[in-house]
Amino acid sequence: MLRQDYWLLFSVLLSIFYVLLIRVAYTSSETIGTDYLLTGSITSMFWAGFGGLFLFILILNVWSGVNEESNVTNNSHYLTIRTVPDLVLAHVISSSVKFLAVVTPITVAAGIGFSVGSESYQNVIGFVVLTPVLVVSAVAAGYPLGLIIKGIVRRSQTLLRYKSLIGLLLTGLYFGTAVTGYWDAIIETGEPALTAPPLTWFGDLALVTVAGEGATPITAPLLTGFFGLLTAIAIGCAIPAARFAWSGDLVITADDSESDDDSLPPDHQFETALARICTSQGTFAIASTTLIRLVRSPKQIVFVALPLLGVIPAAEQFLTTGSLPWYAPWAVVWYGAWTAGTAISLNPLGNQGATLPAVLSSPISGRQIVHGYIVAVLTAAPITVLFAIGTGIVADRPQSELAVLAVASVVAIAIGAVVSIGIGTLFPRFQESEIGQSTVAVPPSKTAYLFYSLFSMAIVIAVATINSEMVLEITTSLITRLLPLAITVSNDIVEITSWAMIVAIVLSVPIWYRIAVDRLHTYELE
């Protein structure tokens, strides 16, 4: 039910955005039409707009070819009843219809706006004629490119394994570029291509009824024929591309079945070092299995990606000034501890999946399970220390604070490991959640998420407040503003409170450890 509410909210927000987009298309085209009526010329951004729309639809269809939406294999039984050309043509037609339903209101609104601005209502005809030509050619050109990429990914076990992570990084790059304003620089760089043939030919078709601008009644059919020929060639190329993509699983499966080599063999340096750290075979088994699962299927990383949006302001400052804000290194410490605990140990029961009954009935004790997860989480400490010190140097923090950052990183991750296991055993989650059209993972429960997030923030803020005068001043100011009845607090009170929080957190670690051990040792399946 909650998932349906999310989709309903998403649909409402998307509808509002779509209506606003139609409004922008109308007003922008009306302004261009008015300028044409007054000056007799049309800005180059008119042609660039249609070229950009073509590239946008093309990119979306490249993604469609790569994504599981185009996952047609013999296992799906499609290829046993229809030929590859039939399936390719069906996809191009269905995708074209979907995009036409979305794009047509926008282009028609733009055409009406241009007609109103130019006071010639026949000018909307060109926009109506252009829409199917632009959409179908973009769909046909993008789909085979996506299929080729899909085939390459399926033939590479490394790319296939990290496909979700690569998609996440690309998504973050897109939003980061949008928020930091670098789209303007990208558009400015690409404007010569958007305002040159063949992309400008779409704008020429839209202006077929405008005298002295765009295509003439003679050249318009030629341009339409050119894009029709492009569509036919693209569909023809999509057929071998589809065969290449849809047979990719068979190649990987055959390689896997004939290979006895494991990605982490028993004598691997990683497992050798891990075996030296672990005091028992049960601890080693839990730690190695947890880390191998995270490396081979890094789907859990998706659930800790949202705070990375906070990197955008810091990245913008770094790109513009070459420095980082004062809080950046402490944010790294918090994110390292929070990510390690959330992605690895915040759901120790749910992470076992179908192997949970075997784990609970095995000779491995609850203490060994807890120790195994702690060892797995501590592997994130070196990375967090390096990033914290690196950001501290860029943020021009004193050497004493850099030393505190290194120690705080290790301590926060170690304490967070124990606490996250304890919280996770109290609030386990076994229900899978979709993170893609055919990809599922088991995230921690919302309650565990909330409690552990608050805990990790509390310990990092307390340590930062004690070791940084700037953090102390800011914390004192915020607390004073939040307190009712105009109550004020001094820096000394905040510092004492921070010390009390640290002592309380440290004293709570054995309690959380005991809770985790008892829960894992006595847990019974319902």
Side-chain angles (χ1 to χ4, degrees), residues 459-499:
I459 186 172
V460 172
I461 291 175
V463 174
T465 300
I466 292 172
N467 290 277
S468 175
E469 289 292 334
M470 184 180 297
V471 179
L472 178 61
E473 293 288 344
I474 293 174
T475 305
T476 302
S477 176
L478 289 176
I479 293 176
T480 301
R481 290 185 180 183
L482 293 174
L483 288 176
L485 303 177
I487 300 175
T488 59
V489 294
S490 64
N491 290 348
D492 293 336
I493 294 177
V494 173
E495 188 171 0
I496 294 173
T497 304
S498 299
W499 276 111

Side-chain angles (χ1 to χ4, degrees), residues 45 176-192 194:
M45 292 305 297
T177 304
V179 173
T180 55
Y182 278 88
W183 272 123
D184 296 338
I186 294 175
I187 293 174
E188 184 178 350
T189 304
E191 186 176 356
L194 294 175

